[in-house]
Amino acid sequence: RMAIVFGYSFAGRDAYGGVVPGFTLDSYRELGQPLYFPIFWNSVKLAFFSTLLCVLIGYPIAYFIAFRAGRWAPMLLILMLIPFWIDFLIRISAWVVLLGRNGLINSALTATILDEPARMLGTYGAVLVGMVYAFLPSAVFPIYAALQPIDRALLEAGRDLGAGPFQNFRRVTLPLSMPGVMAACLFVFVPSMGVFAIPVLLGGGKSIIIGNLIVQLFLDFRNMPLGSAVSVVLLVFASIGILAYMRTLRRFELARS
């Protein structure tokens, strides 16, 4: 399929939206127009903040499961997997109900601290909530996988040498768990760049990002070559992220050896 998309990105387009076989760079030249710069910037910004929030929230969860949950750790991991058994669109649509003007969250707020319902849907915050909800497990599991094998004797040695909890975490736990943190960043950032349903359902589609742009180009504007070119650019971004992760991980392993 990617070969077809790659081939379409170099094809032409007729006046009726059909694909004209051939080799041209017109679609890639069109992407260089200033019109598309804000779209790519919005995509990168949304993916960055989603990744940051997922890592900041996911690390304490993974830490608790790895070091404090004990025999309850498998059950907590299973509970984090349960949402994946439900269709993605259904899970995101549930947030539409929760964040709606008459939803459960607004009902609780108006019953306690607010005089009238707050506007939540159609905001950037609602999109971030949906992104964190969707991709948080993708951050927790790799961090947990990096924390679990850490030798507890190293932490005990740090305490015997006079290191406090924060020093132990900063000098032992965090450095040893960095491969998991880097993997979490990769697993969240890459899919966040091309997500489509969450900005549409929770953000009202007001801010166009790469995922929205691809769908609109294919379905609304019937511009398959340009839509394919955007898809190829997204794939290049993802590949660069994967290569950067592998290179950083290799340097980390060499530093540890």
Side-chain angles (χ1 to χ4, degrees):
R1 293 182 180 180
M2 285 308 305
I4 296 175
V5 172
F6 185 77
Y8 275 3
S9 68
F10 294 101
R13 175 176 179 266
D14 60 25
Y16 301 99
V19 177
V20 179
F23 183 86
T24 176
L25 297 176
D26 290 345
S27 297
Y28 291 97
R29 293 193 188 97
E30 188 172 350
L31 287 180
Q33 297 180 5
L35 170 66
Y36 296 100
F37 292 162
I39 297 175
F40 285 98
W41 171 244
N42 289 336
S43 302
V44 172
K45 183 172 65 172
L46 179 61
F48 172 78
F49 284 114
S50 301
T51 303
L52 181 64
L53 289 175
C54 284
V55 171
L56 290 178
I57 298 173
Y59 197 102
I61 296 175
Y63 184 91
F64 175 80
I65 297 175
F67 289 99
R68 298 289 185 265
R71 61 189 180 91
W72 295 102
M75 180 61 65
L76 294 177
L77 293 174
I78 293 175
L79 289 177
M80 294 204 66
L81 283 173
I82 288 179
F84 286 95
W85 300 350
I86 305 173
D87 183 77
F88 179 79
L89 290 178
I90 295 177
R91 289 188 283 125
I92 300 303
S93 298
W95 279 101
V96 177
V97 178
L98 290 173
L99 298 176
R101 185 174 180 83
N102 298 317
L104 181 63
I105 296 178
N106 259 323
S107 298
L109 291 176
T110 52
T112 54
I113 59 176
L114 296 181
D115 296 328
E116 58 181 20
R119 180 176 174 271
M120 298 182 185
L121 285 179
T123 63
Y124 194 79
V127 176
L128 282 178
V129 168
M131 298 286 277
V132 171
Y133 169 76
F135 297 116
L136 182 61
S138 300
V140 171
F141 288 118
I143 296 176
Y144 170 80
L147 289 170
Q148 181 62 26
I150 293 178
D151 190 353
R152 274 44 175 183
L154 296 175
L155 303 178
E156 294 179 3
R159 287 193 292 268
D160 292 341
L161 293 173
F166 178 74
Q167 287 181 316
N168 234 351
F169 172 78
R170 183 172 61 87
R171 296 186 177 183
V172 179
T173 306
L174 183 60
L176 293 177
S177 64
M178 281 308 297
V181 174
M182 291 186 296
C185 293
L186 180 67
F187 293 162
V188 176
F189 187 86
V190 171
S192 296
M193 286 283 292
V195 71
F196 165 71
I198 297 176
V200 171
L201 293 176
L202 300 182
K206 296 179 180 179
S207 296
I208 301 178
I209 61 174
I210 293 179
N212 307 62
L213 178 63
I214 293 174
V215 173
Q216 290 181 0
L217 289 173
F218 272 98
L219 301 182
D220 297 337
F221 298 105
R222 295 182 57 82
N223 195 337
M224 295 180 65
L226 184 57
S228 299
V230 178
S231 302
V232 171
V233 171
L234 179 60
L235 179 62
V236 170
F237 284 161
S239 301
I240 292 174
I242 294 173
L243 291 175
Y245 165 73
M246 294 177 63
R247 187 172 182 178
T248 305
L249 183 61
R250 189 178 300 112
R251 289 182 177 178
F252 182 84
E253 293 297 336
L254 289 175
R256 289 181 58 185
S257 60

